[in-house]
């Protein structure tokens, strides 16, 4: 029953993307079912006439011509249908791979960070070969139709032949089921090993990792990890190979014995005058074809079950995106595009990461007024970046709620909510595209705005000195003429993206970590000038930005320790004042 539901789901997916694929299956099934019977039966007609008392060569010639012409027409139609189906299958695969990419990009960050999700992506991606499943169904149906015709032919002679063949089929089916059960058990371990192997291979060719491996003489250590992972994969593959090799040996022996028995039985009937030499040829060809057909059905059913597992994993991947979330439809309540003024409120917010019991944030109550500049400070692990992740809807609070303009952020569609936020994170990523595309993430960049934000972060002179200027590619993954940026230049480029969006809410999570104090001060001054009409949140270990902020939030072990302006907290002479004085003295010289 479960396989039937999965098959229907698969058919629905194909109808959604390439319905003509199903239409072309019908003539293929008809032709492929008839062809084996046609090939078996026509030689009998020719042999019957060759051994007749009076040989009619004209009649034999006509039969041969008709046989050849029909065979030619069938083959031409087969080739045409196969080429069309192959083309449509490739097109479908590309469409489904794109769909899988879209699904993966829409999954919540808390799911993306789970290793189980990464494994499901690897397994679910195999569903892009879903047309192969329909091919399997087509082959199974074709073989069953052929099987019925062959059983009818053989049953007219002796059911003993069919019993002999059935034994071979049962043995093969038992092995196929055994292999299916084994593969079902090891799917997760194979995908897990593949994930690790992909990571190690990518790390080996990653520019930053390559430098680390060489400067620290880690090649031998790293290669051992890579070798161990590959050895584990080889062990899994070797077990599969051993199972299949053993099966092939057993099946070859059984089929050889079956062939001897069938030839012996047919020979006895020919000697006894029960059948003619033409009948001998017909029945032997029928038995051989029937044996291959039954084995083929068994193999394809096993392969079909494997494809069903792929489809189930694809459905699991879909499930990550389609998790039910209770939200209100605000499309009629408020114009979400008109968020030029932003106020934020955290109400009794607490949070702990999935699969852990430790709270990273506890009972956070905070109001950020429109156009306010807030700096969040604290030691490592205080919960600063987690607070931003909650505000960006990467995670949902375990307790409490977050409001933007008195609207729960989880009631606002992500597509619209993301338009009002411009964020730069610690683990930002510049891509191997043109500089202007890295700013706008769009092929049709607003060059006036691109140049404006580039100037604001201090990259204008550098880019103008390049031969291709804003059309210069980064790195060499996409274009061999790509350039490398320094750490500071990379971070400045990442900052331009947040500024290019012209968001109402600007979030900067350690945006100047790779910059020296002078460059950092320049960036913050520019930020202050361009964000006067924006609500802005800064996170930084260095407290340069705190002096120009309206408010400062001090977090410690997930709780609010201090809150106020720079002057208020300095007068208080608490945790913040101590941190500020230490940094000020350290950078004095």
């Amino acid at each position: 029953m479960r396989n039937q539901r999965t098959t229907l789901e698969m058919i629905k997916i194909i109808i959604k993307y390439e319905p003509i694929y199903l239409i072309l299956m019908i003539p293929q099934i008809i032709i492929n079912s008839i062809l084996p019977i046609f090939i078996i039966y026509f030689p009998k007609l020719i042999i019957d006439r060759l051994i007749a008392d009076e040989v009619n060569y004209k009649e034999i010639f006509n039969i041969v011509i008709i046989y050849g012409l029909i065979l030619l027409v069938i083959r031409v139609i087969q080739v045409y249908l196969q080429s069309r189906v192959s083309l449509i299958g490739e097109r479908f695969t590309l469409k489904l791979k794109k769909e899988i990419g879209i699904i993966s990009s829409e999954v919540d960050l808390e799911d993306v960070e789970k290793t189980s999700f990464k494994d499901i992506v690897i397994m679910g991606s195999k569903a892009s070969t879903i047309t192969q499943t329909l091919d399997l169904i087509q082959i199974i149906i074709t073989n069953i139709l052929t099987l019925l015709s062959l059983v009818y032919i053989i049953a007219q002679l002796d059911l003993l032949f069919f019993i002999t063949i059935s034994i071979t089929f049962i043995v093969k089916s038992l092995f196929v089921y055994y292999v299916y059960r084994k593969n079902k058990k090891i799917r997760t371990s194979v995908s897990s090993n593949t994930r690790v192997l992909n990571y190690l291979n990518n790390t080996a060719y990653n520019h930053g990792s390559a430098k680390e491996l060489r400067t620290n003489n880690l090649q031998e250590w790293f290669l051992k990890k890579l070798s161990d992972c590959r050895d584990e994969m080889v062990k899994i593959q070797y077990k599969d190979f051993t199972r299949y090799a053993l099966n092939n040996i057993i099946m070859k022996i059984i089929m050889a014995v079956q062939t001897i028995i069938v030839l012996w039985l047919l020979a006895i009937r020919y000697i006894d005058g029960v059948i003619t030499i033409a009948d001998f040829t017909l029945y032997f060809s029928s038995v051989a074809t029937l044996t291959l057909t039954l084995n083929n059905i068994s193999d394809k059913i096993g392969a079909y079950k494997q494809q069903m597992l792929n489809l189930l994993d694809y459905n699991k991947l879909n499930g990550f995106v389609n998790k039910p979330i209770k939200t209100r439809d605000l499309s009629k309540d408020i114009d979400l595009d008109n968020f030029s003024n932003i106020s934020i409120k955290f109400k009794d917010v607490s949070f702990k990461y999935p699969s852990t019991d430790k709270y990273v944030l506890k009972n956070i109550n905070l109001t950020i007024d429109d156009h306010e500049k807030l700096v969040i400070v604290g030691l490592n692990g205080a919960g600063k970046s987690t607070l931003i992740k909650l505000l960006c809807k990467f995670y949902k609070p375990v307790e409490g709620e977050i409001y933007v303009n008195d609207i729960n952020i989880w009631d606002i569609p992500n597509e619209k909510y993301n338009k009002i936020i411009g964020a730069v994170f610690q683990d930002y990523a510049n891509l191997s595209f043109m500089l202007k595309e890295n700013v706008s993430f769009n092929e049709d960049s607003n060059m006036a705005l691109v140049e404006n934000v580039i100037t604001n972060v201090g990259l204008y002179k550098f880019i103008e000195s390049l031969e291709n200027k804003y059309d210069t590619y980064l790195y060499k993954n996409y274009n061999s003429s790509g350039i490398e940026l320094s750490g500071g230049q990379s971070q400045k480029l990442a900052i331009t993206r947040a500024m290019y969006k012209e968001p109402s809410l600007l979030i900067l999570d350690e945006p100047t970590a790779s910059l020296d104090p002078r460059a950092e001060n320049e960036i913050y001054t520019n930020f202050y000038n361009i964000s006067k009409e924006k609500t802005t949140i800064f996170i930084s270990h260095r407290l340069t930005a705190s002096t120009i902020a309206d408010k400062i939030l001090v977090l410690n072990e997930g709780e609010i320790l201090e809150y106020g302006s720079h002057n208020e907290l300095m007068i208080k002479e608490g945790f913040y004042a101590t941190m500020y004085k230490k940094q000020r003295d350290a950078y004095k010289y």
Side-chain angles (χ1 to χ4, degrees):
M1 191 68 182
R2 185 180 183 183
N3 278 343
Q4 289 175 350
R5 287 200 306 270
T6 311
T7 302
L8 288 174
E9 289 172 9
M10 176 194 63
I11 291 173
K12 286 178 182 177
I13 293 172
I14 292 179
I15 289 173
K16 177 182 176 182
Y17 293 105
E18 291 292 348
I20 194 173
Y21 192 92
L22 294 172
I23 296 172
L24 291 175
M25 275 184 61
I26 298 171
Q28 279 193 305
I29 289 173
I30 295 171
I31 290 173
N32 293 335
S33 301
I34 294 173
L35 187 60
I37 307 302
F38 177 77
I39 292 174
I40 289 170
Y41 189 71
F42 257 84
K44 179 186 182 304
L45 294 179
I46 296 171
I47 294 172
D48 273 338
R49 281 149 182 80
L50 285 172
I51 61 174
D53 294 334
E54 293 184 12
V55 179
N56 187 334
Y57 291 103
K58 183 178 180 181
E59 186 181 6
I60 293 172
F61 178 77
N62 290 336
I63 292 173
V64 170
I65 293 298
I66 292 170
Y67 175 71
L69 289 174
I70 293 174
L71 196 61
L72 177 63
V73 171
I74 289 175
R75 292 298 189 192
V76 169
I77 294 173
Q78 270 189 321
V79 170
Y80 171 76
L81 290 173
Q82 285 172 357
S83 62
R84 287 286 297 159
V85 166
S86 177
L87 177 63
I88 294 168
E90 285 295 323
R91 198 165 62 197
F92 170 83
T93 298
L94 291 174
K95 287 180 180 179
L96 195 59
K97 282 183 177 180
K98 181 181 178 181
E99 178 72 12
I100 291 170
I102 292 171
I103 291 171
S104 301
S105 68
E106 292 178 351
V107 172
D108 292 339
L109 186 66
E110 64 177 287
D111 289 324
V112 172
E113 293 181 346
K114 295 175 183 176
T115 54
S116 60
F117 169 76
K118 296 179 176 67
D119 291 340
I120 287 174
V121 169
I122 292 172
M123 293 187 290
S125 296
K126 295 176 183 178
S128 61
T129 60
I130 236 173
T131 52
Q132 292 180 14
T133 311
L134 269 193
D135 289 341
L136 292 172
I137 294 173
Q138 175 194 318
I139 293 169
I140 291 169
I141 294 172
T142 299
N143 284 328
I144 289 173
L145 293 175
T146 304
L147 173 69
L148 294 174
S149 302
L150 292 170
V151 168
Y152 174 75
I153 293 172
I154 294 170
Q156 292 184 65
L157 179 63
D158 196 329
L159 283 175
L160 182 60
F161 291 97
F162 185 69
I163 293 169
T164 305
I165 296 164
S166 297
I167 293 171
T168 307
F169 174 69
I170 291 169
V171 173
K172 181 63 178 288
S173 297
L174 288 173
F175 175 78
V176 167
Y177 180 73
Y178 168 73
V179 170
Y180 163 73
R181 298 286 296 178
K182 283 289 184 182
N183 287 342
K184 188 176 180 180
K185 287 181 179 179
I186 65 172
R187 276 175 70 82
T188 302
S189 59
V190 169
S191 62
S192 176
N193 198 267
T194 301
R195 167 173 47 81
V196 174
L197 191 59
N198 288 343
Y199 168 76
L200 292 172
N201 284 329
N202 291 336
T203 300
Y205 296 103
N206 179 274
H207 187 66
S209 303
K211 289 187 288 188
E212 289 285 346
L213 292 173
R214 285 161 177 75
T215 56
N216 294 294
N217 293 322
L218 299 177
Q219 293 94 326
E220 186 175 344
W221 168 80
F222 182 81
L223 287 174
K224 185 179 184 303
K225 286 187 174 293
L226 188 61
S227 177
D228 290 344
C229 184
R230 285 179 174 165
D231 288 345
E232 185 64 29
M233 184 65 84
V234 168
K235 285 180 184 177
I236 296 172
Q237 292 171 342
Y238 179 74
K239 289 179 181 178
D240 277 344
F241 170 78
T242 304
R243 283 194 291 268
Y244 279 108
L246 181 62
N247 167 71
N248 286 334
I249 292 170
I250 294 172
M251 290 309 302
K252 294 295 183 186
I253 294 171
I254 292 174
M255 289 183 71
V257 172
Q258 175 193 290
T259 302
I260 292 170
I261 293 172
V262 169
L263 282 172
W264 177 65
L265 291 171
L266 286 173
I268 290 174
R269 281 160 176 73
Y270 174 70
I271 293 169
D272 291 342
V274 177
I275 60 174
T276 66
I277 191 66
D279 293 328
F280 183 99
T281 304
L282 172 68
Y283 289 126
F284 182 74
S285 298
S286 298
V287 170
T289 304
L290 181 58
T291 302
L292 292 174
T293 301
L294 285 170
N295 284 328
N296 203 18
I297 290 173
S298 180
D299 283 334
K300 298 311 178 187
I301 289 175
Y304 169 77
K305 285 181 174 291
Q306 293 296 327
Q307 286 290 347
M308 289 300 98
L309 293 176
N310 294 337
L311 189 59
L312 288 171
D313 289 323
Y314 172 76
N315 289 337
K316 288 179 186 177
L317 183 61
N318 251 322
F320 276 104
V321 177
N322 298 322
K323 291 188 300 184
I325 298 175
K326 294 181 179 179
T327 60
R328 291 187 294 119
D329 181 9
L330 299 181
S331 57
K332 297 180 181 178
D333 298 344
I334 190 170
D335 183 3
L336 295 174
D337 293 323
N338 187 21
F339 264 44
S340 57
N341 300 317
I342 291 289
S343 61
I344 302 165
K345 184 178 181 180
F346 286 75
K347 183 180 179 181
D348 299 323
V349 171
S350 297
F351 178 75
K352 58 182 178 181
Y353 285 99
S355 304
T356 65
D357 296 325
K358 182 181 178 181
Y359 276 87
V360 183
L361 293 173
K362 291 171 277 186
N363 197 34
I364 301 296
N365 286 282
L366 171 68
T367 299
I368 306 170
D369 293 327
D370 180 38
H371 294 173
E372 183 177 294
K373 307 295 178 286
L374 173 72
V375 171
I376 304 176
V377 300
L379 301 176
N380 288 334
K384 304 185 297 296
S385 293
T386 300
L387 190 76
I388 296 304
K389 288 179 180 179
L390 296 183
L391 182 58
C392 290
K393 294 178 67 176
F394 294 158
Y395 294 90
K396 194 170 186 178
V398 175
E399 299 170 15
E401 295 176 323
I402 305 172
Y403 297 91
V404 170
N405 291 358
D406 297 322
I407 301 173
N408 190 320
I409 63 172
W410 288 93
D411 288 335
I412 304 175
N414 288 346
E415 184 179 356
K416 293 185 177 181
Y417 186 71
N418 291 336
K419 289 180 180 179
I420 67 175
I421 293 179
V424 184
F425 302 102
Q426 299 177 50
D427 52 351
Y428 66 88
N430 293 320
L431 306 182
S432 296
F433 302 139
M434 288 185 282
L435 285 168
K436 65 181 181 184
E437 290 177 316
N438 269 277
V439 176
S440 66
F441 274 178
N442 194 317
E443 292 183 355
D444 299 320
S445 306
N446 181 337
M447 289 310 300
L449 184 55
V450 169
E451 291 182 15
N452 182 47
V453 295
I454 286 291
T455 301
N456 285 334
V457 298
L459 285 177
Y460 181 77
K461 289 184 179 179
F462 166 72
I463 292 177
E464 284 295 316
S465 69
L466 300 173
E467 181 180 354
N468 295 318
K469 296 183 171 50
Y470 293 93
D471 291 334
T472 303
Y473 278 88
L474 282 188
Y475 318 123
K476 300 186 184 300
N477 307 77
Y478 199 86
N479 189 288
S480 59
S481 64
I483 63 169
E484 296 286 339
L485 298 179
S486 67
Q489 288 171 334
S490 294
Q491 200 153 32
K492 286 180 178 180
L493 184 61
I495 291 169
T496 63
R497 279 195 292 279
M499 297 164 64
Y500 180 87
K501 285 179 68 176
E502 297 185 313
S504 302
L505 173 61
L506 193 59
I507 300 172
L508 307 166
D509 184 358
E510 299 283 1
T512 57
S514 297
L515 305 179
D516 57 63
R518 181 178 296 178
E520 180 185 47
N521 184 64
E522 178 188 348
I523 287 289
Y524 277 129
T525 301
N526 288 335
F527 267 141
Y528 183 76
N529 292 331
I530 66 173
S531 64
K532 286 181 179 179
E533 302 303 317
K534 303 178 188 298
T535 305
T536 308
I537 301 175
F538 299 86
I539 294 180
S540 181
H541 281 90
R542 295 202 290 255
L543 305 182
T544 308
S546 61
T547 56
I548 58 174
D550 299 313
K551 295 290 183 180
I552 299 163
L553 175 69
V554 183
L555 290 177
N556 186 48
E557 296 184 353
E559 298 182 279
I560 296 177
L561 184 63
E562 295 176 353
Y563 179 74
S565 67
H566 173 72
N567 291 334
E568 290 170 346
L569 296 184
M570 291 301 292
I571 293 171
K572 188 177 180 180
E573 293 188 349
F575 185 84
Y576 171 79
T578 302
M579 285 177 61
Y580 182 82
K581 289 174 183 178
K582 285 182 178 179
Q583 285 197 13
R584 181 189 61 191
D585 294 340
Y587 289 126
K588 187 176 291 185
Y589 303 103

